[in-house]
Amino acid sequence: MRLSEAQTGQSLIITKVIGHGSFRKRLNEMGFIKGKSVYVVKNAPLKDPVEYRVLGYNVSLRRSEAHMVEVVTLEEAKSLQLMTCEGVEEGGENTENYNIKGSIINIALVGNPNCGKTSLFNLASGSKEHVGNYSGVTVDAKKATFRFNDYIINLIDLPGTYSLTAYTPEEKYVRKYILDESPDIIINVVDSSNLERNFYLTTQLIDMNKKIILALNMYDELEKSGATLKQELLSKMLGIPIVPTVSVKGTGLNELFEKVIEVYEGKNNVIRHIHINYGQDIEDSISRLRKILRKNRPVTDAISSRYVALRLLEKDPESEQLILDYSEKDAIRQITTEEIQRIERLVEDETHSLITGYRYGFISGALKETFVGGKNHSTITTEQIDVFLTHKYLGIPFFLLFMFLSFYCTFELGAYPMNWINTGVHALGGIIERFMSEGMLRDLIVDGIINGLGSVLVFIPNILILFFFISFMEDTGYMARAAFIMDKVMHGFGLHGRSFIPLVMGFGCNVPAIMATRTLRNKKDRVLTMLIIPFMSCSARLPVYVLLISAFFPSHRALFLTGLYVVGIMLALIMAQVFNKTLFRSKESPFVMELPPYRLPTLKNTMIHMWDKAQQYLRKIGGVILLAVVIVWALGYFPVQNKDEKLYNQKMSELKQRKEQILKSSSVAQSFSLNQKGISDMREPQLKSDSLKQIQGELESLSQKRESEKLKNSYLGHIGRIAEPVMRPLGFDWKMTVCLLSGLPAKEIVVSTMGVLYQANEVDSNLADGIKKDTYQSGERTGQTVFNPLVALSFLIFVLIYFPCIGVVMSISRESGSSWWSVFVICYTTLLAWMLSFAVFQIGSMI
């Protein structure tokens, strides 16, 4: 943690002072040294500055300064075995002398998209972050902590980015993190199969004057191609240690972190800071700017003056933020303008283009001396595959075929474990009914929790299988091709080509898909994409789809499921066109997206992604869904009894007594075995058998009517009946209305609510049977089934479109920067859902 986060009265141990130059020197002189104890005395009235006690005297620091001091609590230090206490003062406070056995190293992983950075993160830390072979998978920093040798490693996986120019949200995030957090070491992960492109980011890191280690990832591909690289010579030229790695196999990772410790301890002879030569004209400008930047430099500034000068000369959009704390900022602006004008007059070109050219010249020169290219087999294979998969006529049919096969396997393979889970849920409910006495607690456990959660749990196999296929397509690099072939279609509907990736991610969960819109450069493109992502059928809707399609369209399950996904996509494209013509009339951004080489993903990565989705689903079941199930059950259970229910209970009690009397008077089974004298003797037991069947039938009918009447008169029934008139034109009754209302927090709750409302009578029945057997109990449609194929289709369309879950609403508000867009999404999706479901039901009824 940082010292600025500490609470008043805390005693802490300093593990490091971040930054360099005058700021670090000042803090060290004040006693803020690794291994010393620091005590938080108090905050100023306005919470800044803060008073600390170090080395026996009090000192105050601004929070911005305290943020640059990394500390651990005494408890954390002991648990991590980072120190041993030398002694205690008379006053009972710990002395400031601690023997630090190990330390904490903050490492930032930086690299281009598709370079294997997140795979390295997962294997090194044992984390389970999603790995995908396309740009924008990591849309935020992921942190993992683990021990290596005597050190605690804090590993930060930053978003994939091609450069550190403040252009895309990823670039801004990565640059801001490096500058603000000052990681001890940056591991620059480089794709060995494309060194020239990847090294551009490396040159920008060199300019930042940070400690860097190069991880030459996918090094096996470089060796297979027959290429050769003089690593030692390149390492000396760059002043950066180099370690070959193959992250998907874990090759070279131990050597990589051993090199990290070596660099951290200052024992590496290679590492040094070099200056890339940008030509005499630019170097003169850099020198002039550095003089004034160093003149009255803010004491907390931990940024290289050379880096700031380069950012200013490149006309970086956010370079102004780098000089806000400089007292000479007006003079800095003036000199920057003069130098840019001078250079551009001399070379007749933009300064940023000139600097970029020098960087690539530096890369070219370094590789010319150290690298001999080979034959890139992966590129050849990729080109051969792309002849078919990105063909202008065959590309889209191939994409639809792959999706159809995924859905087909989702149903066919998922049917077996679904039946096993369903049988287990009913068996568990039966055991509890057998051993628990009747009462509210048993009803809550069996009818509420087991049936409600079981109805959601049963769909985990379908979700796992679907995500296995989606993950496989992502990891191979095919999803990037899907974006490529869909680019023209997307532009036709006013969308940016890069919007396709967040839309596809929406099939998994709309929340990370909303976050993935950060990869879009233009804010209007981002908001437009956010508004249509809710049409992508996320995994939460899948249980509803599987349930109703299996019940009412069993012969064409894969076709109907594919159709729902296609309808969602088409609605998204149509609404994008509408919004583009009305709300967002902006110039299109150019579509630039990398098509990475095809790679066969490891089973481990694919399984990690699949299991990660299952964990999210299970966490929902144990959290919000469990709470919703209990609430829905309680609303359906109370009030406990009414006049009609008492009457049903009285009639059922009378029938049970008659049944017991018949069984006592004569056993049907005994009559059949003892009487063998003639047909006349068989009539009595036969009549008694018929009577028993009749009574049992009446009991089941009364039980069903009692439960229906109980639900109707419950609080849940009242809520449903109040809203039913609005939903009746869509073919929905009050039960369906309640199910839809319960799905507002999360769509999985729709199925769990059905599990509570549509209780099947037979032990071996499932939820689908209970839905199909549900009938109207009053009115002109008494006795008719409520659900039929047309109503089911109308219901599915409504679930596809209406109100996105609360998580999506909050994500849209956060990512768009305005809650107005969240309100707009809620209103327009729900209204559109009602209109389309109305059209489906009414037109279908006429046909």
Side-chain angles (χ1 to χ4, degrees):
M1 64 184 287
R2 299 299 173 91
L3 186 57
S4 58
E5 301 169 9
Q7 303 298 316
T8 300
Q10 270 191 298
S11 291
L12 305 140
I13 306 301
I14 299 169
T15 56
K16 72 174 58 130
V17 178
I18 299 168
H20 56 81
S22 57
F23 170 69
R24 186 171 186 176
K25 183 180 178 182
R26 176 190 172 217
L27 285 184
N28 287 158
E29 289 172 348
M30 293 170 68
F32 290 88
I33 301 169
K34 173 179 161 182
K36 301 298 182 181
S37 66
V38 57
Y39 178 77
V40 186
V41 180
K42 63 176 179 290
N43 287 272
L46 297 177
K47 303 297 183 182
D48 202 10
V50 183
E51 186 178 342
Y52 302 97
R53 183 181 304 144
V54 61
L55 293 180
Y57 73 99
N58 291 7
V59 61
S60 67
L61 290 180
R62 287 196 293 266
R63 285 191 179 273
S64 59
E65 297 171 330
H67 184 73
M68 303 302 284
V69 180
E70 194 168 276
V71 294
V72 293
T73 64
L74 298 178
E75 293 76 14
E76 289 173 334
K78 289 174 183 175
S79 65
L80 295 174
Q81 297 180 342
L82 288 181
M83 55 80 179
T84 55
C85 184
E86 297 284 327
V88 184
E89 292 181 352
E90 288 185 12
E93 290 187 6
N94 291 310
T95 66
E96 61 274 1
N97 297 316
Y98 289 85
N99 176 27
I100 303 294
K101 289 184 176 180
S103 190
I104 297 174
I105 307 178
N106 296 319
I107 303 172
L109 288 179
V110 180
N112 288 188
N114 314 312
C115 68
K117 178 172 54 62
T118 305
S119 295
L120 189 151
F121 175 81
N122 287 344
L123 275 174
S125 64
S127 184
K128 297 181 176 65
E129 292 306 324
H130 172 213
V131 180
N133 192 13
Y134 60 84
S135 175
V137 172
T138 309
V139 294
D140 209 340
K142 306 295 187 298
K143 181 180 178 180
T145 300
F146 61 94
R147 179 177 286 279
F148 187 84
N149 294 344
D150 291 329
Y151 286 87
I152 300 298
I153 305 292
N154 286 330
L155 191 61
I156 312 297
D157 180 23
L158 294 174
T161 179
Y162 293 106
S163 75
L164 297 178
T165 306
Y167 184 47
T168 69
E170 305 106 310
E171 293 169 355
K172 292 178 183 178
Y173 188 94
V174 173
R175 190 172 79 174
K176 189 175 187 304
Y177 183 89
I178 294 172
L179 294 178
D180 292 353
E181 301 299 325
S182 293
D184 299 311
I185 291 171
I186 295 172
I187 295 180
N188 181 200
V189 185
V190 170
D191 181 356
S192 298
S193 64
N194 200 335
L195 293 175
E196 187 170 11
R197 184 205 62 194
N198 280 245
F199 275 165
Y200 184 80
L201 179 59
T202 307
T203 61
Q204 293 182 312
L205 293 172
I206 289 172
D207 288 332
M208 296 181 85
N209 192 14
K210 300 293 182 182
K211 288 183 179 179
I212 308 165
I213 295 175
L214 269 180
L216 285 181
N217 202 28
M218 306 178 195
Y219 198 74
D220 54 341
E221 293 187 11
L222 183 145
E223 292 177 325
K224 286 177 185 177
S225 69
T228 58
L229 178 67
K230 299 176 183 177
Q231 295 174 39
E232 292 185 7
L233 178 57
L234 180 61
S235 180
K236 290 177 181 178
M237 292 174 65
L238 298 177
I240 300 173
I242 295 176
V243 180
T245 60
V246 184
S247 61
V248 294
K249 299 177 182 177
T251 305
L253 296 191
N254 284 336
E255 293 83 353
L256 179 64
F257 288 101
E258 285 171 1
K259 190 70 68 176
V260 165
I261 293 173
E262 186 181 296
V263 170
Y264 183 75
E265 294 178 343
K267 297 177 181 178
N268 187 273
N269 297 323
V270 171
I271 196 161
R272 63 190 175 95
H273 178 57
I274 65 169
H275 285 178
I276 297 170
N277 192 326
Y278 290 102
Q280 190 61 49
D281 295 323
I282 293 177
E283 290 294 339
D284 289 345
S285 298
I286 291 173
S287 297
R288 187 183 175 196
L289 279 168
R290 289 187 75 186
K291 284 180 183 178
I292 191 169
L293 286 168
R294 287 172 166 177
K295 189 175 180 181
N296 290 302
R297 184 177 188 174
V299 72
T300 57
D301 186 27
I303 307 173
S304 163
S305 59
R306 182 177 175 85
Y307 174 76
V308 176
L310 280 166
R311 292 268 71 83
L312 291 167
L313 292 172
E314 284 185 281
K315 306 177 189 177
D316 188 278
E318 295 192 352
S319 60
E320 179 68 23
Q321 299 296 321
L322 300 176
I323 61 170
L324 283 179
D325 294 330
Y326 283 79
S327 58
E328 303 282 341
K329 54 179 173 291
D330 292 332
I332 293 171
R333 293 191 194 102
Q334 179 63 30
I335 293 173
T336 301
T337 303
E338 291 173 2
E339 290 303 314
I340 289 174
Q341 291 174 350
R342 181 183 68 83
I343 294 170
E344 291 184 348
R345 278 198 307 268
L346 287 172
V347 299
E348 296 183 350
D349 198 0
E350 299 264 352
T351 51
H352 64 82
S353 297
L354 195 63
I355 292 172
T356 299
Y358 274 110
R359 285 197 178 115
Y360 275 113
F362 172 82
I363 296 167
S364 179
L367 292 178
K368 196 167 186 179
E369 294 188 42
T370 59
F371 179 71
V372 178
K375 194 172 184 180
N376 197 327
H377 296 288
S378 63
T379 302
I380 295 171
T381 303
T382 294
E383 291 174 354
Q384 292 172 341
I385 297 173
D386 276 346
V387 168
F388 300 98
L389 297 188
T390 61
H391 192 274
K392 63 179 181 179
Y393 298 121
L394 299 177
I396 293 178
F398 266 119
F399 174 70
L400 294 176
L401 175 64
F402 293 150
M403 296 306 293
F404 178 81
L405 289 174
S406 300
F407 297 142
Y408 181 81
C409 292
T410 296
F411 273 111
E412 297 303 317
L413 298 179
Y416 301 102
M418 276 184 68
N419 291 333
W420 301 335
I421 295 173
N422 189 58
T423 302
V425 168
H426 281 293
L428 179 61
I431 292 171
I432 292 175
E433 281 187 329
R434 191 177 305 119
F435 290 101
M436 281 189 72
S437 57
E438 288 188 18
M440 186 175 70
L441 180 60
R442 191 185 79 171
D443 292 341
L444 169 62
I445 294 173
V446 176
D447 298 333
I449 296 174
I450 293 179
N451 285 339
L453 292 186
S455 60
V456 180
L457 193 67
V458 74
F459 296 102
I460 281 183
N462 301 92
I463 291 172
L464 286 173
I465 294 169
L466 180 62
F467 275 104
F468 176 85
F469 283 98
I470 291 179
S471 176
F472 184 81
M473 287 190 285
E474 289 174 351
D475 297 345
T476 56
Y478 176 70
M479 280 304 184
R481 269 73 187 178
F484 173 76
I485 61 178
M486 293 296 292
D487 178 46
K488 189 172 182 180
V489 175
M490 302 290 279
H491 274 254
F493 288 94
L495 281 168
H496 192 285
R498 289 178 74 96
S499 297
F500 184 77
I501 295 301
L503 291 175
V504 171
M505 290 181 71
F507 289 142
C509 178
N510 288 172
V511 173
I514 297 292
M515 295 173 66
T517 58
R518 297 176 190 176
T519 60
L520 296 164
R521 270 75 169 175
N522 186 289
K523 184 177 180 180
K524 290 185 177 180
D525 287 331
R526 291 200 297 273
V527 175
L528 174 59
T529 307
M530 289 179 208
L531 295 182
I532 62 172
I533 282 175
F535 291 118
M536 300 297 105
S537 293
C538 64
S539 60
R541 297 182 179 102
L542 187 60
V544 187
Y545 296 167
V546 173
L547 174 65
L548 294 182
I549 291 173
S550 299
F552 295 99
F553 312 102
S555 301
H556 308 285
R557 293 182 296 183
L559 183 63
F560 270 87
L561 185 59
T562 304
L564 283 172
Y565 277 73
V566 170
V567 168
I569 293 170
M570 293 308 300
L571 282 173
L573 295 177
I574 292 169
M575 293 309 299
Q577 182 72 297
V578 172
F579 293 146
N580 195 57
K581 298 294 184 183
T582 55
L583 300 176
F584 306 101
R585 296 179 181 176
S586 60
K587 186 179 179 181
E588 291 182 354
S589 303
F591 175 58
V592 180
M593 185 171 185
E594 181 191 11
L595 295 179
Y598 287 106
R599 292 190 176 97
L600 187 64
T602 62
L603 181 62
K604 182 177 180 180
N605 276 338
T606 304
M607 297 300 290
I608 282 174
H609 183 203
M610 186 176 73
W611 175 240
D612 185 48
K613 294 299 180 184
Q615 280 186 315
Q616 291 179 22
Y617 193 68
L618 287 170
R619 280 195 293 268
K620 274 189 177 181
I621 291 175
V624 64
I625 295 177
L626 175 60
L627 179 63
V629 162
V630 173
I631 292 172
V632 169
W633 174 85
L635 290 173
Y637 189 83
F638 296 103
V640 177
Q641 278 194 345
N642 53 53
K643 293 180 181 180
D644 293 332
E645 190 176 352
K646 288 180 180 178
L647 182 61
Y648 282 119
N649 286 337
Q650 183 179 347
K651 289 182 179 179
M652 290 176 68
S653 179
E654 293 174 358
L655 286 171
K656 286 178 182 178
Q657 289 177 1
R658 282 179 54 195
K659 182 179 178 181
E660 289 175 3
Q661 289 173 358
I662 293 173
L663 290 172
K664 285 180 181 178
S665 63
S666 176
S667 172
V668 175
Q670 288 178 345
S671 299
F672 271 93
S673 60
L674 296 175
N675 293 318
Q676 299 179 1
K677 297 179 180 179
I679 297 175
S680 59
D681 294 332
M682 295 290 292
R683 290 176 183 171
E684 184 177 351
Q686 183 64 46
L687 290 172
K688 291 180 179 179
S689 176
D690 292 340
S691 297
L692 287 172
K693 288 180 181 179
Q694 183 181 355
I695 292 172
Q696 186 62 35
E698 290 179 13
L699 280 171
E700 290 178 358
S701 177
L702 285 171
S703 176
Q704 186 176 9
K705 290 179 179 179
R706 182 188 65 178
E707 291 303 315
S708 177
E709 197 67 30
K710 181 179 178 180
L711 281 171
K712 185 177 179 181
N713 293 314
S714 67
Y715 298 129
L716 195 65
H718 286 299
I719 294 171
R721 288 206 303 276
I722 290 171
E724 184 182 9
V726 178
M727 309 303 285
R728 194 178 296 123
L730 315 184
F732 305 162
D733 70 342
W734 67 269
K735 289 185 182 179
M736 296 185 215
T737 304
V738 167
C739 291
L740 292 171
L741 289 172
S742 70
L744 299 184
K747 294 297 177 286
E748 298 98 331
I749 302 175
V750 172
V751 174
S752 61
T753 304
M754 286 182 166
V756 175
L757 295 179
Y758 298 97
Q759 300 291 332
N761 292 319
E762 297 84 1
V763 175
D764 59 346
S765 294
N766 54 34
L767 180 55
D769 293 331
I771 291 172
K772 288 191 287 187
K773 292 177 181 178
D774 189 50
T775 58
Y776 287 100
Q777 300 300 315
S778 61
E780 58 183 19
R781 301 183 65 183
T782 302
Q784 296 182 22
T785 55
V786 178
F787 262 106
N788 57 48
L790 179 59
V791 173
L793 184 59
S794 176
F795 192 85
L796 287 170
I797 293 294
F798 197 91
V799 170
L800 166 66
I801 304 169
Y802 89 114
F803 193 106
C805 72
I806 297 299
V808 173
V809 172
M810 293 175 64
S811 296
I812 291 174
S813 179
R814 183 176 61 251
E815 295 296 326
S816 67
S818 172
S819 57
W820 187 89
W821 291 116
S822 298
V823 175
F824 178 72
V825 167
I826 291 171
C827 295
Y828 102 83
T829 54
T830 305
L831 179 61
L832 183 63
W834 193 94
M835 292 169 61
L836 290 182
S837 292
F838 176 83
V840 168
F841 181 73
Q842 296 298 331
I843 295 173
S845 298
M846 290 188 290
I847 295 174

PDB file of all heavy atoms in Angstrom, residues 717-731:
ATOM      1  N   GLY A 717     -48.444 -12.517  -6.492  1.00  0.00           N
ATOM      2  CA  GLY A 717     -49.566 -12.516  -7.415  1.00  0.00           C
ATOM      3  C   GLY A 717     -50.180 -11.143  -7.575  1.00  0.00           C
ATOM      4  O   GLY A 717     -50.563 -10.744  -8.679  1.00  0.00           O
ATOM      5  N   HIS A 718     -50.259 -10.399  -6.475  1.00  0.00           N
ATOM      6  CA  HIS A 718     -50.809  -9.043  -6.544  1.00  0.00           C
ATOM      7  C   HIS A 718     -49.941  -8.145  -7.422  1.00  0.00           C
ATOM      8  O   HIS A 718     -50.443  -7.367  -8.231  1.00  0.00           O
ATOM      9  CB  HIS A 718     -50.920  -8.456  -5.135  1.00  0.00           C
ATOM     10  CG  HIS A 718     -52.039  -9.039  -4.325  1.00  0.00           C
ATOM     11  ND1 HIS A 718     -53.365  -8.954  -4.699  1.00  0.00           N
ATOM     12  CD2 HIS A 718     -52.028  -9.744  -3.155  1.00  0.00           C
ATOM     13  CE1 HIS A 718     -54.121  -9.557  -3.806  1.00  0.00           C
ATOM     14  NE2 HIS A 718     -53.337 -10.050  -2.855  1.00  0.00           N
ATOM     15  N   ILE A 719     -48.603  -8.281  -7.256  1.00  0.00           N
ATOM     16  CA  ILE A 719     -47.688  -7.480  -8.086  1.00  0.00           C
ATOM     17  C   ILE A 719     -47.864  -7.832  -9.564  1.00  0.00           C
ATOM     18  O   ILE A 719     -47.942  -6.955 -10.429  1.00  0.00           O
ATOM     19  CB  ILE A 719     -46.229  -7.722  -7.653  1.00  0.00           C
ATOM     20  CG1 ILE A 719     -46.002  -7.190  -6.236  1.00  0.00           C
ATOM     21  CG2 ILE A 719     -45.254  -7.052  -8.620  1.00  0.00           C
ATOM     22  CD1 ILE A 719     -44.654  -7.581  -5.647  1.00  0.00           C
ATOM     23  N   GLY A 720     -47.930  -9.137  -9.830  1.00  0.00           N
ATOM     24  CA  GLY A 720     -48.085  -9.577 -11.214  1.00  0.00           C
ATOM     25  C   GLY A 720     -49.387  -9.138 -11.835  1.00  0.00           C
ATOM     26  O   GLY A 720     -49.427  -8.729 -13.000  1.00  0.00           O
ATOM     27  N   ARG A 721     -50.484  -9.185 -11.045  1.00  0.00           N
ATOM     28  CA  ARG A 721     -51.786  -8.817 -11.592  1.00  0.00           C
ATOM     29  C   ARG A 721     -51.890  -7.313 -11.833  1.00  0.00           C
ATOM     30  O   ARG A 721     -52.597  -6.873 -12.731  1.00  0.00           O
ATOM     31  CB  ARG A 721     -52.896  -9.292 -10.658  1.00  0.00           C
ATOM     32  CG  ARG A 721     -53.075 -10.808 -10.684  1.00  0.00           C
ATOM     33  CD  ARG A 721     -54.496 -11.223 -10.293  1.00  0.00           C
ATOM     34  NE  ARG A 721     -54.871 -10.706  -8.972  1.00  0.00           N
ATOM     35  CZ  ARG A 721     -54.558 -11.306  -7.827  1.00  0.00           C
ATOM     36  NH1 ARG A 721     -53.858 -12.419  -7.835  1.00  0.00           N
ATOM     37  NH2 ARG A 721     -54.936 -10.794  -6.672  1.00  0.00           N
ATOM     38  N   ILE A 722     -51.168  -6.518 -11.016  1.00  0.00           N
ATOM     39  CA  ILE A 722     -51.169  -5.062 -11.238  1.00  0.00           C
ATOM     40  C   ILE A 722     -50.519  -4.726 -12.577  1.00  0.00           C
ATOM     41  O   ILE A 722     -50.997  -3.861 -13.322  1.00  0.00           O
ATOM     42  CB  ILE A 722     -50.438  -4.351 -10.080  1.00  0.00           C
ATOM     43  CG1 ILE A 722     -51.266  -4.443  -8.788  1.00  0.00           C
ATOM     44  CG2 ILE A 722     -50.165  -2.890 -10.426  1.00  0.00           C
ATOM     45  CD1 ILE A 722     -50.523  -3.961  -7.556  1.00  0.00           C
ATOM     46  N   ALA A 723     -49.412  -5.444 -12.870  1.00  0.00           N
ATOM     47  CA  ALA A 723     -48.684  -5.168 -14.116  1.00  0.00           C
ATOM     48  C   ALA A 723     -49.216  -5.970 -15.302  1.00  0.00           C
ATOM     49  O   ALA A 723     -48.870  -5.669 -16.452  1.00  0.00           O
ATOM     50  CB  ALA A 723     -47.197  -5.471 -13.922  1.00  0.00           C
ATOM     51  N   GLU A 724     -50.063  -6.966 -15.052  1.00  0.00           N
ATOM     52  CA  GLU A 724     -50.519  -7.858 -16.125  1.00  0.00           C
ATOM     53  C   GLU A 724     -51.233  -7.138 -17.272  1.00  0.00           C
ATOM     54  O   GLU A 724     -51.003  -7.478 -18.444  1.00  0.00           O
ATOM     55  CB  GLU A 724     -51.431  -8.945 -15.543  1.00  0.00           C
ATOM     56  CG  GLU A 724     -51.865  -9.966 -16.590  1.00  0.00           C
ATOM     57  CD  GLU A 724     -52.817 -11.001 -16.008  1.00  0.00           C
ATOM     58  OE1 GLU A 724     -53.271 -10.820 -14.857  1.00  0.00           O
ATOM     59  OE2 GLU A 724     -53.101 -11.978 -16.719  1.00  0.00           O
ATOM     60  N   PRO A 725     -52.094  -6.136 -17.023  1.00  0.00           N
ATOM     61  CA  PRO A 725     -52.780  -5.484 -18.152  1.00  0.00           C
ATOM     62  C   PRO A 725     -51.823  -4.905 -19.191  1.00  0.00           C
ATOM     63  O   PRO A 725     -52.135  -4.895 -20.389  1.00  0.00           O
ATOM     64  CB  PRO A 725     -53.590  -4.382 -17.470  1.00  0.00           C
ATOM     65  CG  PRO A 725     -53.825  -4.880 -16.079  1.00  0.00           C
ATOM     66  CD  PRO A 725     -52.589  -5.627 -15.723  1.00  0.00           C
ATOM     67  N   VAL A 726     -50.663  -4.438 -18.732  1.00  0.00           N
ATOM     68  CA  VAL A 726     -49.690  -3.880 -19.679  1.00  0.00           C
ATOM     69  C   VAL A 726     -49.086  -4.983 -20.533  1.00  0.00           C
ATOM     70  O   VAL A 726     -48.771  -4.775 -21.716  1.00  0.00           O
ATOM     71  CB  VAL A 726     -48.572  -3.126 -18.910  1.00  0.00           C
ATOM     72  CG1 VAL A 726     -47.523  -2.569 -19.878  1.00  0.00           C
ATOM     73  CG2 VAL A 726     -49.161  -2.010 -18.073  1.00  0.00           C
ATOM     74  N   MET A 727     -48.925  -6.185 -19.971  1.00  0.00           N
ATOM     75  CA  MET A 727     -48.248  -7.276 -20.659  1.00  0.00           C
ATOM     76  C   MET A 727     -49.207  -8.238 -21.360  1.00  0.00           C
ATOM     77  O   MET A 727     -48.769  -9.071 -22.147  1.00  0.00           O
ATOM     78  CB  MET A 727     -47.398  -8.068 -19.648  1.00  0.00           C
ATOM     79  CG  MET A 727     -46.478  -7.218 -18.794  1.00  0.00           C
ATOM     80  SD  MET A 727     -45.342  -6.206 -19.779  1.00  0.00           S
ATOM     81  CE  MET A 727     -44.179  -7.440 -20.308  1.00  0.00           C
ATOM     82  N   ARG A 728     -50.526  -8.119 -21.072  1.00  0.00           N
ATOM     83  CA  ARG A 728     -51.485  -9.053 -21.672  1.00  0.00           C
ATOM     84  C   ARG A 728     -51.504  -9.001 -23.200  1.00  0.00           C
ATOM     85  O   ARG A 728     -51.643 -10.049 -23.842  1.00  0.00           O
ATOM     86  CB  ARG A 728     -52.882  -8.779 -21.108  1.00  0.00           C
ATOM     87  CG  ARG A 728     -53.880  -9.907 -21.411  1.00  0.00           C
ATOM     88  CD  ARG A 728     -55.234  -9.631 -20.808  1.00  0.00           C
ATOM     89  NE  ARG A 728     -55.194  -9.596 -19.344  1.00  0.00           N
ATOM     90  CZ  ARG A 728     -55.589  -8.566 -18.617  1.00  0.00           C
ATOM     91  NH1 ARG A 728     -56.051  -7.460 -19.207  1.00  0.00           N
ATOM     92  NH2 ARG A 728     -55.538  -8.609 -17.306  1.00  0.00           N
ATOM     93  N   PRO A 729     -51.349  -7.822 -23.822  1.00  0.00           N
ATOM     94  CA  PRO A 729     -51.316  -7.808 -25.297  1.00  0.00           C
ATOM     95  C   PRO A 729     -50.151  -8.576 -25.905  1.00  0.00           C
ATOM     96  O   PRO A 729     -50.147  -8.863 -27.103  1.00  0.00           O
ATOM     97  CB  PRO A 729     -51.210  -6.310 -25.623  1.00  0.00           C
ATOM     98  CG  PRO A 729     -51.748  -5.610 -24.420  1.00  0.00           C
ATOM     99  CD  PRO A 729     -51.368  -6.468 -23.270  1.00  0.00           C
ATOM    100  N   LEU A 730     -49.161  -8.921 -25.091  1.00  0.00           N
ATOM    101  CA  LEU A 730     -48.020  -9.692 -25.580  1.00  0.00           C
ATOM    102  C   LEU A 730     -48.227 -11.187 -25.381  1.00  0.00           C
ATOM    103  O   LEU A 730     -47.363 -11.991 -25.772  1.00  0.00           O
ATOM    104  CB  LEU A 730     -46.736  -9.265 -24.840  1.00  0.00           C
ATOM    105  CG  LEU A 730     -46.484  -7.765 -24.651  1.00  0.00           C
ATOM    106  CD1 LEU A 730     -45.134  -7.542 -23.993  1.00  0.00           C
ATOM    107  CD2 LEU A 730     -46.550  -7.040 -25.981  1.00  0.00           C
ATOM    108  N   GLY A 731     -49.356 -11.565 -24.759  1.00  0.00           N
ATOM    109  CA  GLY A 731     -49.634 -12.969 -24.500  1.00  0.00           C
ATOM    110  C   GLY A 731     -49.167 -13.431 -23.134  1.00  0.00           C
ATOM    111  O   GLY A 731     -49.176 -14.621 -22.846  1.00  0.00           O
TER     112      GLY A 731
END
